[in-house]
Amino acid sequence: MSAKYVTLAATFGLLALTGSTAQAQTSDMTFFITSAGSGKGADLGGLAGADAICQRLAQAAGAGSKTWHAYLSTQAAGGTAAVNARDRIGAGPWRNAKGAVIANSVADLHGGAANLTKQTALTEKGAAVNGRGDTPNEHDILTGSQPDGTAFAPGEDRTCGNYTKSGAEGAVMMGHHDRTGLDESPPAKSWNSSHASRGGCSQDALKGTGGAGRLYCFAVN
């Protein structure tokens, strides 16, 4: 066999190995930020609709064998109890599409050990998400949660009507995936509880503060 064909064979072998490695990492993925939102602002179709978005994107990325939930809390309303985001994402550990560990446990995720940064909080495709300083800035991720991952008390809307509103009414709490904000305060650096949306729950309202209606997705099993 000529040197030319040996080189070609080695090149194709390396490409195949690289592709299989990437696929293996994606199949082991247990955390991602959605590459897109619902397109209807904070109207996700409730928790079930949000989970379906996570499941669909995970399926397309080759990780659909797991059960995926969106990291979202809901507020008590109409006799329905509140739901805490921290209680619906499994026990961990969670890894991104490139194999980096985001957190080993629920306690780590909501404490100082969380490895959530612009470099690690990747989409299901392994892509980085625009942060503060990028155009457009899309670092606002919907959570509806307090810093410890629990729900807000009933009253002031912090979940856009439990993810059913897309107009000028209501608000939703969001976190900064890049851990960067207008100052050095804890909320500005919080991945899950930085500030509420301004101007309502529409796609334009979310864009107004640096968001696109994206979600954090975690594999429960």
Side-chain angles (χ1 to χ4, degrees), residues 30-31 71 89-96 99-117 120-121 179 191 218-219:
T30 47
F31 162 87
Y71 181 94
I89 58 171
W94 298 284
R95 295 178 174 82
N96 67 14
V101 175
I102 298 300
N104 284 305
S105 66
V106 172
D108 284 352
L109 182 65
H110 295 91
N115 181 32
L116 262 165
T117 67
T120 61
R179 316 295 286 274
W191 67 270
F218 289 81

Side-chain angles (χ1 to χ4, degrees), residues 56-84:
R56 173 174 55 81
L57 294 177
Q59 179 72 39
S65 62
K66 304 177 180 69
T67 298
W68 291 84
H69 282 177
Y71 181 94
L72 294 171
S73 296
T74 62
Q75 294 173 273
T80 302
V83 173
N84 300 321

Side-chain angles (χ1 to χ4, degrees), residues 33 71 109-111 114 116-118 121 139-150 152 173-196 216:
I33 292 178
Y71 181 94
L109 182 65
H110 295 91
L116 262 165
T117 67
K118 183 180 177 182
H139 72 169
D140 288 347
I141 313 298
L142 308 185
T143 69
S145 301
Q146 300 187 84
D148 63 354
T150 58
F152 286 93
M173 181 58 69
M174 303 177 287
H176 291 163
H177 86 286
D178 58 357
R179 316 295 286 274
T180 302
L182 295 174
D183 52 41
E184 296 299 306
S185 66
K189 294 185 174 184
S190 175
W191 67 270
N192 70 336
S193 197
S194 289
H195 60 82
Y216 293 117

